[in-house]
Amino acid sequence: MYGDEATIRTILTGAGDTWAVVGLSTNRGRAAYGVAEVLRRFGKRVVPVHPKAETVHGEQGYASLADIPFAVDVVDVFVNSELAGAVADEAVAKGARAVWFQLGVVDEAAYDRTRAAGLEMVMDRCPAIEIPRLP
């Protein structure tokens, strides 16, 4: 229900190529690091968003979505479900076109708010799994 194939395809192919990855740091052991690598291989610009504002994969990091001084197309969320709704609200305020909650990240109220604001949204899925499946 929160990740139909048409929406996944729209986000991965039509929402734009600048992805803010919330929770991305230099920690290679975290899932966000590997997912960011896959997104980059598929031509996405990956912007790290993490309190430490670290540079990851050669891209300057920012402490919050609001700190990013340029447009963001998709916000990929690697924070736990309790914090994810606030990130979705920040994505709407930032003017993003889509929000993607990673595997295990679920907030139905945030999903409803984000969709009502006109953004595409996927929840509890992983773009690194989905993008190689596209023809």
Side-chain angles (χ1 to χ4, degrees):
M1 175 176 179
Y2 300 112
D4 65 87
E5 298 305 316
T7 302
I8 288 169
R9 175 176 298 283
T10 296
I11 293 173
L12 292 174
T13 65
D17 290 332
T18 301
W19 285 54
V21 179
V22 179
L24 175 58
S25 70
T26 58
N27 184 343
R28 294 173 180 262
R30 302 289 303 213
Y33 192 90
V35 169
E37 284 184 315
V38 171
L39 290 170
R40 286 173 35 90
R41 279 199 306 269
F42 281 87
K44 308 300 182 190
R45 177 184 185 189
V46 175
V47 180
V49 179
H50 188 278
K52 294 181 182 177
E54 299 171 311
T55 296
V56 183
H57 300 302
E59 187 75 43
Q60 168 66 48
Y62 297 92
S64 72
L65 288 173
D67 291 342
I68 300 173
F70 48 83
V72 169
D73 300 312
V74 181
V75 176
D76 188 7
V77 182
F78 277 93
V79 299
N80 49 27
S81 298
E82 295 77 33
L83 303 174
V87 176
D89 295 339
E90 291 171 27
V92 170
K94 178 71 179 165
R97 298 169 72 188
V99 175
W100 192 300
F101 281 9
Q102 284 290 262
L103 290 171
V105 180
V106 176
D107 181 330
E108 293 178 9
Y111 180 89
D112 292 341
R113 286 192 312 273
T114 303
R115 295 291 294 137
L119 282 70
E120 298 287 350
M121 185 162 179
V122 171
M123 211 163 49
D124 195 24
R125 301 288 286 266
C126 179
I129 293 170
E130 302 299 334
I131 202 165
R133 295 180 179 170
L134 295 176

